[in-house]
Amino acid sequence: MGGVHIPYASREKVLQTIDRSFHDRSQIRVAFCNAHTMVSALRSQGYIDTLSHFLVLNDGVGLDLASSLFMGHGFEDNLNGTDLVPEILEKASAPVSIYMLGAKQHVVEEAGRQLAARFPRHRIVGMHHGYLKREDEAGVVAKINASGADLLLVAMGNPRQEQFIDRNAADLSPRVLIGVGALFDFISGTVPRAPQWMRMLRLEWLFRLMIEPRRLGWRYTGGLAIFLVEIMRLRVARMWAKPEDLEREEQNLPKRLRPEN
Protein backbone atom coordinates (compact mmCIF):
# COMPACT_ATOMS: atom_id res chain seq x y z
CA MET A 1 0.00 0.00 0.00
CA GLY A 2 1.67 3.17 -1.21
CA GLY A 3 5.08 1.50 -1.18
CA VAL A 4 4.72 -0.10 2.28
CA HIS A 5 4.87 -3.89 1.95
CA ILE A 6 3.03 -5.93 4.60
CA PRO A 7 2.98 -9.73 4.17
CA TYR A 8 -0.04 -11.94 4.81
CA ALA A 9 1.82 -13.92 7.45
CA SER A 10 0.35 -16.07 10.20
CA ARG A 11 1.45 -15.58 13.79
CA GLU A 12 3.13 -19.00 13.68
CA LYS A 13 5.13 -18.14 10.52
CA VAL A 14 6.30 -14.84 12.00
CA LEU A 15 7.39 -16.50 15.25
CA GLN A 16 9.29 -19.17 13.30
CA THR A 17 11.00 -16.58 11.10
CA ILE A 18 12.17 -14.50 14.06
CA ASP A 19 13.28 -17.51 16.08
CA ARG A 20 15.30 -18.78 13.12
CA SER A 21 17.26 -15.51 13.07
CA PHE A 22 18.55 -16.18 16.59
CA HIS A 23 20.11 -19.42 15.36
CA ASP A 24 21.29 -18.78 11.80
CA ARG A 25 22.71 -15.36 12.81
CA SER A 26 20.93 -13.56 9.98
CA GLN A 27 19.82 -10.14 11.18
CA ILE A 28 16.15 -9.24 10.90
CA ARG A 29 14.48 -5.88 11.57
CA VAL A 30 10.83 -5.93 12.61
CA ALA A 31 8.33 -3.05 12.60
CA PHE A 32 4.63 -2.91 13.42
CA CYS A 33 2.35 -0.87 11.18
CA ASN A 34 -0.96 0.56 12.35
CA ALA A 35 -3.06 3.30 10.75
CA HIS A 36 -0.92 6.05 12.32
CA THR A 37 2.27 4.42 11.01
CA MET A 38 0.79 4.13 7.54
CA VAL A 39 -0.22 7.81 7.45
CA SER A 40 3.29 8.80 8.61
CA ALA A 41 4.80 6.67 5.84
CA LEU A 42 2.49 8.01 3.13
CA ARG A 43 3.63 11.51 4.06
CA SER A 44 7.35 10.66 3.94
CA GLN A 45 9.19 8.82 1.19
CA GLY A 46 12.14 8.62 3.56
CA TYR A 47 10.08 6.65 6.06
CA ILE A 48 8.83 4.34 3.29
CA ASP A 49 12.46 3.73 2.31
CA THR A 50 13.31 2.95 5.95
CA LEU A 51 10.43 0.48 6.29
CA SER A 52 11.53 -1.29 3.09
CA HIS A 53 14.39 -2.78 5.16
CA PHE A 54 11.98 -4.21 7.75
CA LEU A 55 9.62 -7.11 8.09
CA VAL A 56 6.52 -4.92 8.56
CA LEU A 57 3.65 -6.56 10.43
CA ASN A 58 0.00 -5.54 10.53
CA ASP A 59 -1.22 -3.97 13.76
CA GLY A 60 -4.84 -3.12 14.38
CA VAL A 61 -8.24 -2.92 12.78
CA GLY A 62 -7.27 -0.06 10.47
CA LEU A 63 -4.87 -2.29 8.54
CA ASP A 64 -7.56 -4.97 8.30
CA LEU A 65 -9.90 -2.40 6.78
CA ALA A 66 -7.24 -1.29 4.31
CA SER A 67 -6.50 -4.90 3.35
CA SER A 68 -10.19 -5.56 2.77
CA LEU A 69 -10.38 -2.58 0.44
CA PHE A 70 -7.24 -3.63 -1.46
CA MET A 71 -7.50 -7.41 -1.50
CA GLY A 72 -11.04 -8.29 -0.45
CA HIS A 73 -9.98 -9.86 2.87
CA GLY A 74 -8.26 -8.95 6.11
CA PHE A 75 -5.14 -10.37 7.73
CA GLU A 76 -5.07 -13.81 9.33
CA ASP A 77 -3.83 -12.51 12.70
CA ASN A 78 -3.49 -9.14 14.43
CA LEU A 79 0.28 -8.95 14.96
CA ASN A 80 0.65 -6.08 17.40
CA GLY A 81 3.97 -5.78 19.23
CA THR A 82 2.50 -5.65 22.72
CA ASP A 83 1.30 -9.25 22.36
CA LEU A 84 3.83 -10.60 19.86
CA VAL A 85 7.05 -9.69 21.68
CA PRO A 86 6.12 -11.63 24.85
CA GLU A 87 5.09 -14.52 22.61
CA ILE A 88 8.49 -14.42 20.90
CA LEU A 89 10.10 -14.86 24.31
CA GLU A 90 7.61 -17.46 25.48
CA LYS A 91 8.12 -19.66 22.40
CA ALA A 92 11.83 -19.06 21.77
CA SER A 93 13.58 -22.39 21.23
CA ALA A 94 16.61 -21.33 23.30
CA PRO A 95 17.42 -18.71 25.97
CA VAL A 96 17.72 -15.18 24.60
CA SER A 97 19.70 -12.20 25.93
CA ILE A 98 17.81 -8.91 25.67
CA TYR A 99 18.79 -5.24 25.53
CA MET A 100 16.02 -2.71 26.15
CA LEU A 101 16.33 0.79 24.69
CA GLY A 102 13.65 3.43 25.04
CA ALA A 103 11.16 5.26 27.28
CA LYS A 104 12.23 7.08 30.45
CA GLN A 105 14.95 5.47 32.56
CA HIS A 106 12.67 4.49 35.46
CA VAL A 107 10.12 3.06 33.01
CA VAL A 108 12.60 0.89 31.12
CA GLU A 109 14.11 -0.32 34.41
CA GLU A 110 10.72 -1.37 35.77
CA ALA A 111 9.82 -2.97 32.44
CA GLY A 112 13.10 -4.89 32.62
CA ARG A 113 12.28 -6.16 36.12
CA GLN A 114 8.82 -7.27 35.03
CA LEU A 115 10.13 -8.95 31.88
CA ALA A 116 12.84 -10.78 33.83
CA ALA A 117 10.29 -12.04 36.36
CA ARG A 118 7.92 -13.21 33.66
CA PHE A 119 10.57 -14.93 31.51
CA PRO A 120 13.30 -16.14 33.89
CA ARG A 121 15.06 -18.35 31.33
CA HIS A 122 16.01 -15.26 29.32
CA ARG A 123 18.47 -12.56 30.46
CA ILE A 124 18.12 -8.78 30.47
CA VAL A 125 21.70 -7.75 29.65
CA GLY A 126 21.26 -3.99 29.41
CA MET A 127 18.86 -1.05 29.50
CA HIS A 128 19.02 2.57 28.38
CA HIS A 129 16.46 5.36 28.14
CA GLY A 130 15.33 6.47 24.70
CA TYR A 131 16.04 10.19 24.90
CA LEU A 132 19.08 10.17 22.64
CA LYS A 133 20.73 12.83 20.53
CA ARG A 134 22.26 11.70 17.26
CA GLU A 135 25.75 12.13 18.72
CA ASP A 136 24.85 9.73 21.57
CA GLU A 137 23.99 6.84 19.28
CA ALA A 138 27.50 5.48 18.65
CA GLY A 139 28.11 5.15 22.39
CA VAL A 140 24.79 3.40 22.96
CA VAL A 141 25.45 1.04 20.03
CA ALA A 142 28.79 0.15 21.61
CA LYS A 143 27.05 -0.64 24.92
CA ILE A 144 24.48 -2.81 23.16
CA ASN A 145 27.19 -4.78 21.35
CA ALA A 146 29.28 -5.15 24.52
CA SER A 147 26.25 -6.64 26.30
CA GLY A 148 26.17 -9.63 23.95
CA ALA A 149 22.44 -9.18 23.35
CA ASP A 150 20.63 -11.40 20.85
CA LEU A 151 17.49 -9.26 20.84
CA LEU A 152 17.23 -5.46 20.81
CA LEU A 153 13.89 -3.91 21.74
CA VAL A 154 13.63 -0.22 20.80
CA ALA A 155 10.74 1.76 22.29
CA MET A 156 10.96 5.29 20.92
CA GLY A 157 7.68 5.49 19.00
CA ASN A 158 7.59 5.65 15.24
CA PRO A 159 9.22 6.76 13.08
CA ARG A 160 12.11 7.39 15.51
CA GLN A 161 12.57 3.77 16.57
CA GLU A 162 12.67 2.45 13.00
CA GLN A 163 15.00 5.26 11.94
CA PHE A 164 17.37 4.48 14.81
CA ILE A 165 17.40 0.79 13.92
CA ASP A 166 17.89 1.48 10.22
CA ARG A 167 20.75 3.95 10.77
CA ASN A 168 22.62 1.63 13.09
CA ALA A 169 21.70 -1.90 11.99
CA ALA A 170 24.98 -2.51 10.18
CA ASP A 171 26.90 -1.73 13.38
CA LEU A 172 24.60 -3.62 15.76
CA SER A 173 25.43 -7.20 16.72
CA PRO A 174 21.97 -8.37 17.97
CA ARG A 175 20.32 -10.57 15.38
CA VAL A 176 16.74 -9.46 16.00
CA LEU A 177 15.94 -5.73 16.11
CA ILE A 178 12.35 -4.78 16.92
CA GLY A 179 10.64 -1.40 17.22
CA VAL A 180 8.15 -1.95 20.03
CA GLY A 181 6.37 1.40 20.53
CA ALA A 182 4.66 1.64 23.93
CA LEU A 183 5.58 -1.89 25.05
CA PHE A 184 7.73 -0.74 27.98
CA ASP A 185 4.93 1.52 29.24
CA PHE A 186 2.53 -1.43 29.24
CA ILE A 187 4.93 -3.96 30.79
CA SER A 188 6.01 -1.53 33.53
CA GLY A 189 2.39 -0.69 34.37
CA THR A 190 2.92 2.99 33.56
CA VAL A 191 0.06 2.78 31.05
CA PRO A 192 -2.75 0.23 31.64
CA ARG A 193 -3.84 -2.10 28.85
CA ALA A 194 -7.41 -2.55 27.80
CA PRO A 195 -9.32 -5.40 29.46
CA GLN A 196 -9.24 -8.69 27.59
CA TRP A 197 -12.81 -8.39 26.31
CA MET A 198 -11.99 -5.08 24.60
CA ARG A 199 -8.90 -6.61 23.02
CA MET A 200 -10.97 -9.54 21.77
CA LEU A 201 -13.40 -7.10 20.13
CA ARG A 202 -10.48 -5.12 18.59
CA LEU A 203 -11.39 -2.07 20.71
CA GLU A 204 -8.04 -1.49 22.42
CA TRP A 205 -7.69 1.76 20.47
CA LEU A 206 -10.90 3.03 22.13
CA PHE A 207 -9.58 2.21 25.60
CA ARG A 208 -6.32 4.03 24.89
CA LEU A 209 -8.27 7.04 23.61
CA MET A 210 -10.32 7.08 26.82
CA ILE A 211 -7.26 7.12 29.10
CA GLU A 212 -5.07 9.43 26.96
CA PRO A 213 -7.52 11.69 25.11
CA ARG A 214 -5.21 14.70 24.81
CA ARG A 215 -2.27 12.76 23.40
CA LEU A 216 -4.20 10.34 21.19
CA GLY A 217 -7.34 12.32 20.34
CA TRP A 218 -6.15 13.58 16.96
CA ARG A 219 -4.54 10.26 16.02
CA TYR A 220 -7.79 8.34 16.52
CA THR A 221 -10.10 10.94 14.98
CA GLY A 222 -8.54 13.27 12.41
CA GLY A 223 -5.64 10.89 11.81
CA LEU A 224 -8.03 8.03 11.11
CA ALA A 225 -9.99 10.16 8.66
CA ILE A 226 -6.76 11.00 6.79
CA PHE A 227 -5.85 7.32 6.76
CA LEU A 228 -9.18 6.33 5.21
CA VAL A 229 -8.94 9.05 2.56
CA GLU A 230 -5.40 8.02 1.65
CA ILE A 231 -6.30 4.33 1.47
CA MET A 232 -9.26 5.07 -0.82
CA ARG A 233 -7.02 7.18 -3.04
CA LEU A 234 -4.50 4.34 -3.28
CA ARG A 235 -7.28 1.84 -3.97
CA VAL A 236 -8.58 3.89 -6.89
CA ALA A 237 -5.04 4.27 -8.27
CA ARG A 238 -4.55 0.51 -8.04
CA MET A 239 -7.79 -0.14 -9.93
CA TRP A 240 -6.39 1.82 -12.88
CA ALA A 241 -2.87 0.34 -12.69
CA LYS A 242 -1.64 -1.80 -15.57
CA PRO A 243 -1.13 -5.54 -14.83
CA GLU A 244 2.57 -5.27 -15.72
CA ASP A 245 2.99 -2.49 -13.15
CA LEU A 246 1.46 -4.66 -10.41
CA GLU A 247 3.69 -7.58 -11.42
CA ARG A 248 6.77 -5.35 -11.32
CA GLU A 249 5.74 -4.13 -7.86
CA GLU A 250 5.59 -7.72 -6.59
CA GLN A 251 9.00 -8.54 -8.09
CA ASN A 252 10.48 -5.58 -6.21
CA LEU A 253 9.44 -7.04 -2.85
CA PRO A 254 12.21 -8.31 -0.60
CA LYS A 255 12.37 -12.08 -1.09
CA ARG A 256 11.03 -12.91 2.38
CA LEU A 257 7.85 -10.87 1.69
CA ARG A 258 6.86 -12.46 -1.63
CA PRO A 259 3.67 -14.55 -1.60
CA GLU A 260 5.44 -17.89 -2.12
CA ASN A 261 7.45 -17.30 1.07
Side-chain angles (χ1 to χ4, degrees):
M1 289 177 282
V4 180
H5 301 295
I6 306 172
Y8 289 94
S10 67
R11 183 179 302 274
E12 181 181 0
K13 178 65 180 293
V14 169
L15 291 171
Q16 290 174 351
T17 299
I18 293 173
D19 192 61
R20 187 165 61 245
S21 292
F22 290 128
H23 300 287
D24 64 17
R25 310 305 293 168
S26 61
Q27 191 181 75
I28 186 171
R29 312 171 199 179
V30 181
F32 299 95
C33 182
N34 56 26
H36 172 70
T37 312
M38 181 64 73
V39 170
S40 298
L42 293 176
R43 290 178 164 183
S44 169
Q45 182 60 46
Y47 192 26
I48 290 175
D49 294 341
T50 293
L51 291 175
S52 71
H53 303 141
F54 284 71
L55 172 61
V56 182
L57 303 176
N58 59 289
D59 174 4
V61 69
L63 268 292
D64 258 355
L65 175 60
S67 174
S68 296
L69 289 171
F70 267 71
M71 306 298 292
H73 60 83
F75 290 90
E76 182 174 343
D77 293 304
N78 179 31
L79 301 175
N80 68 80
T82 308
D83 293 322
L84 192 69
V85 171
E87 198 164 0
I88 290 169
L89 297 176
E90 180 182 338
K91 299 189 176 181
S93 57
V96 171
S97 55
I98 307 161
Y99 197 101
M100 303 172 65
L101 171 64
K104 296 178 180 178
Q105 190 64 34
H106 74 278
V107 172
V108 68
E109 288 176 358
E110 179 59 27
R113 283 190 287 270
Q114 294 296 327
L115 211 59
R118 184 173 173 183
F119 301 103
R121 72 186 180 108
H122 304 307
R123 291 190 306 131
I124 308 296
V125 295
M127 291 174 280
H128 197 287
H129 66 77
Y131 295 86
L132 305 179
K133 297 178 181 178
R134 185 71 69 89
E135 56 266 30
D136 299 329
E137 291 185 2
V140 172
V141 167
K143 290 179 180 179
I144 293 168
N145 292 341
S147 74
D150 305 305
L151 169 63
L152 174 63
L153 304 178
V154 183
M156 296 178 176
N158 52 45
R160 286 185 61 231
Q161 59 196 18
E162 290 82 23
Q163 291 167 342
F164 172 88
I165 290 171
D166 196 49
R167 275 196 305 270
N168 296 289
D171 297 319
L172 284 164
S173 60
R175 296 298 86 194
V176 178
L177 316 173
I178 309 181
V180 296
L183 177 67
F184 298 171
D185 290 328
F186 291 132
I187 292 178
S188 67
T190 304
V191 176
R193 281 203 76 183
Q196 187 63 35
W197 69 268
M198 293 190 79
R199 285 182 251 167
M200 293 285 291
L201 293 174
R202 309 290 296 275
L203 292 174
E204 189 163 13
W205 64 271
L206 179 58
F207 180 83
R208 292 193 65 190
L209 177 60
M210 290 166 58
I211 63 173
E212 297 184 271
R214 294 184 65 181
R215 188 174 76 85
L216 298 177
W218 170 252
R219 178 185 299 187
Y220 289 143
T221 55
L224 180 59
I226 293 171
F227 170 73
L228 293 174
V229 169
E230 288 292 334
I231 291 304
M232 290 303 298
R233 179 183 63 81
L234 292 171
R235 180 68 183 93
V236 171
R238 189 177 180 88
M239 288 172 61
W240 289 97
K242 298 178 181 178
E244 57 266 30
D245 292 335
L246 297 178
E247 183 177 348
R248 189 180 307 114
E249 179 181 302
E250 182 176 301
Q251 290 304 313
N252 287 334
L253 284 171
K255 185 177 180 181
R256 68 173 179 272
L257 302 186
R258 293 179 191 167
E260 64 269 21
N261 290 293

mmCIF file of all heavy atoms in Angstrom, residues 43 85 111 154 174 205 212 222:
data_model
loop_
_atom_site.group_PDB
_atom_site.id
_atom_site.type_symbol
_atom_site.label_atom_id
_atom_site.label_comp_id
_atom_site.label_asym_id
_atom_site.label_seq_id
_atom_site.Cartn_x
_atom_site.Cartn_y
_atom_site.Cartn_z
ATOM 1 N N ARG A 43 3.217 10.104 4.099
ATOM 2 C CA ARG A 43 3.631 11.513 4.056
ATOM 3 C C ARG A 43 5.143 11.666 3.947
ATOM 4 O O ARG A 43 5.636 12.801 3.901
ATOM 5 C CB ARG A 43 3.143 12.222 5.324
ATOM 6 C CG ARG A 43 1.637 12.396 5.374
ATOM 7 C CD ARG A 43 1.214 13.067 6.668
ATOM 8 N NE ARG A 43 -0.148 13.574 6.593
ATOM 9 C CZ ARG A 43 -0.736 14.252 7.566
ATOM 10 N NH1 ARG A 43 -0.083 14.499 8.688
ATOM 11 N NH2 ARG A 43 -1.963 14.683 7.429
ATOM 12 N N VAL A 85 5.718 -9.621 21.074
ATOM 13 C CA VAL A 85 7.051 -9.693 21.682
ATOM 14 C C VAL A 85 7.077 -10.664 22.863
ATOM 15 O O VAL A 85 7.973 -11.526 22.935
ATOM 16 C CB VAL A 85 7.546 -8.286 22.087
ATOM 17 C CG1 VAL A 85 8.829 -8.388 22.910
ATOM 18 C CG2 VAL A 85 7.791 -7.437 20.843
ATOM 19 N N ALA A 111 10.200 -2.010 33.482
ATOM 20 C CA ALA A 111 9.821 -2.969 32.444
ATOM 21 C C ALA A 111 10.813 -4.126 32.404
ATOM 22 O O ALA A 111 10.414 -5.287 32.224
ATOM 23 C CB ALA A 111 9.765 -2.267 31.087
ATOM 24 N N VAL A 154 13.486 -1.680 20.858
ATOM 25 C CA VAL A 154 13.632 -0.224 20.799
ATOM 26 C C VAL A 154 12.247 0.405 20.928
ATOM 27 O O VAL A 154 11.387 0.226 20.063
ATOM 28 C CB VAL A 154 14.297 0.223 19.487
ATOM 29 C CG1 VAL A 154 14.506 1.744 19.498
ATOM 30 C CG2 VAL A 154 15.631 -0.496 19.288
ATOM 31 N N PRO A 174 23.153 -7.524 17.757
ATOM 32 C CA PRO A 174 21.971 -8.366 17.965
ATOM 33 C C PRO A 174 21.372 -8.803 16.632
ATOM 34 O O PRO A 174 21.366 -8.039 15.661
ATOM 35 C CB PRO A 174 21.004 -7.442 18.727
ATOM 36 C CG PRO A 174 21.891 -6.480 19.437
ATOM 37 C CD PRO A 174 23.031 -6.242 18.495
ATOM 38 N N TRP A 205 -7.903 0.366 20.848
ATOM 39 C CA TRP A 205 -7.688 1.765 20.473
ATOM 40 C C TRP A 205 -8.650 2.686 21.224
ATOM 41 O O TRP A 205 -8.284 3.804 21.617
ATOM 42 C CB TRP A 205 -7.864 1.932 18.954
ATOM 43 C CG TRP A 205 -9.267 1.644 18.477
ATOM 44 C CD1 TRP A 205 -9.772 0.453 18.083
ATOM 45 C CD2 TRP A 205 -10.345 2.584 18.394
ATOM 46 N NE1 TRP A 205 -11.104 0.566 17.743
ATOM 47 C CE2 TRP A 205 -11.473 1.872 17.916
ATOM 48 C CE3 TRP A 205 -10.460 3.957 18.642
ATOM 49 C CZ2 TRP A 205 -12.710 2.493 17.703
ATOM 50 C CZ3 TRP A 205 -11.687 4.569 18.436
ATOM 51 C CH2 TRP A 205 -12.786 3.830 17.963
ATOM 52 N N GLU A 212 -6.018 8.406 27.400
ATOM 53 C CA GLU A 212 -5.066 9.427 26.958
ATOM 54 C C GLU A 212 -5.694 10.292 25.860
ATOM 55 O O GLU A 212 -5.184 10.370 24.745
ATOM 56 C CB GLU A 212 -3.780 8.792 26.433
ATOM 57 C CG GLU A 212 -2.986 8.004 27.458
ATOM 58 C CD GLU A 212 -1.681 7.479 26.878
ATOM 59 O OE1 GLU A 212 -1.695 6.369 26.321
ATOM 60 O OE2 GLU A 212 -0.660 8.185 26.959
ATOM 61 N N GLY A 222 -9.013 12.679 13.654
ATOM 62 C CA GLY A 222 -8.540 13.274 12.414
ATOM 63 C C GLY A 222 -7.543 12.399 11.683
ATOM 64 O O GLY A 222 -7.591 12.260 10.452
#
